Amino acid sequence: MQHRTIRFQTSGQGLYEFTDRVNAFVRESSVDTGLLTVFVRHTSCSLIIQENADPDVQRDLMVFFRKLVPPSNDREMDWIVHRLEGPDDMPAHIKAALTQTSIGIPVIDGETALGTWQGIYLFEHRDHPHNREVVLMFS
């Protein structure tokens, strides 16, 4: 089995596209057909496949998730118990639970089967910079 760990330095909440790094791994692996698993090794960020053509999509997603899950110091979130790591931590765990930490991507004829406008993103849910790791593995 072939695998690689990709490391990120995030600068706060946002979407960090890494489609090019995934495609490079697929090309270097020489796998013609298979399933590529993309897995993030953290509980306060997640993975999404999303449109990569219009930056308004990313902005709208950020606004939506901020409204859906505000920081724990917001009055609406006074029910939160876990507060040791700051007002963004428990909301980050909730956002990660609502999205995904693992994505399966088909590889056909040596290329990912992503659609024309699809990109692979690390979705950082914390306010401060973090070191993140994403594992790529063929099965």
Side-chain angles (χ1 to χ4, degrees):
M1 290 217 184
Q2 297 183 34
H3 62 87
R4 176 177 294 166
T5 300
I6 297 175
R7 290 173 175 77
F8 292 87
Q9 173 68 48
T10 65
S11 57
Q13 288 193 40
L15 288 106
Y16 298 84
E17 186 174 6
F18 63 103
T19 311
D20 56 343
R21 296 170 77 178
V22 171
N23 287 335
F25 170 69
V26 170
R27 281 191 304 274
E28 293 165 15
S29 71
S30 301
V31 171
D32 185 57
T33 303
L35 181 64
L36 176 66
T37 300
V38 183
F39 173 76
V40 66
R41 299 180 67 191
H42 307 279
T43 59
S44 58
C45 65
S46 57
L47 299 170
I48 63 170
I49 292 178
Q50 197 47 254
E51 178 179 327
N52 63 1
D54 185 351
D56 286 345
V57 172
Q58 295 178 30
R59 186 197 65 77
D60 290 347
L61 281 169
M62 293 300 298
V63 170
F64 171 76
F65 274 94
R66 213 172 294 125
K67 287 181 178 211
L68 184 66
V69 187
S72 63
N73 56 6
D74 185 291
R75 308 186 335 226
E76 295 178 18
M77 302 295 277
D78 63 355
W79 55 270
I80 289 180
V81 175
H82 176 74
R83 296 173 182 267
L84 292 175
E85 298 176 58
D88 67 326
D89 186 51
M90 190 59 214
H93 292 300
I94 294 168
K95 291 172 187 176
L98 293 172
T99 51
Q100 52 203 346
T101 57
S102 181
I103 298 174
I105 301 172
V107 172
I108 302 168
D109 296 328
E111 296 184 13
T112 58
L114 293 170
T116 303
W117 307 114
Q118 288 184 318
I120 307 165
Y121 293 87
L122 175 88
F123 196 176
E124 177 63 70
H125 303 303
R126 297 295 307 268
D127 291 334
H128 301 290
H130 281 80
N131 293 314
R132 301 300 195 180
E133 292 183 349
V134 173
V135 177
L136 309 177
M137 185 166 189
F138 275 108
S139 56

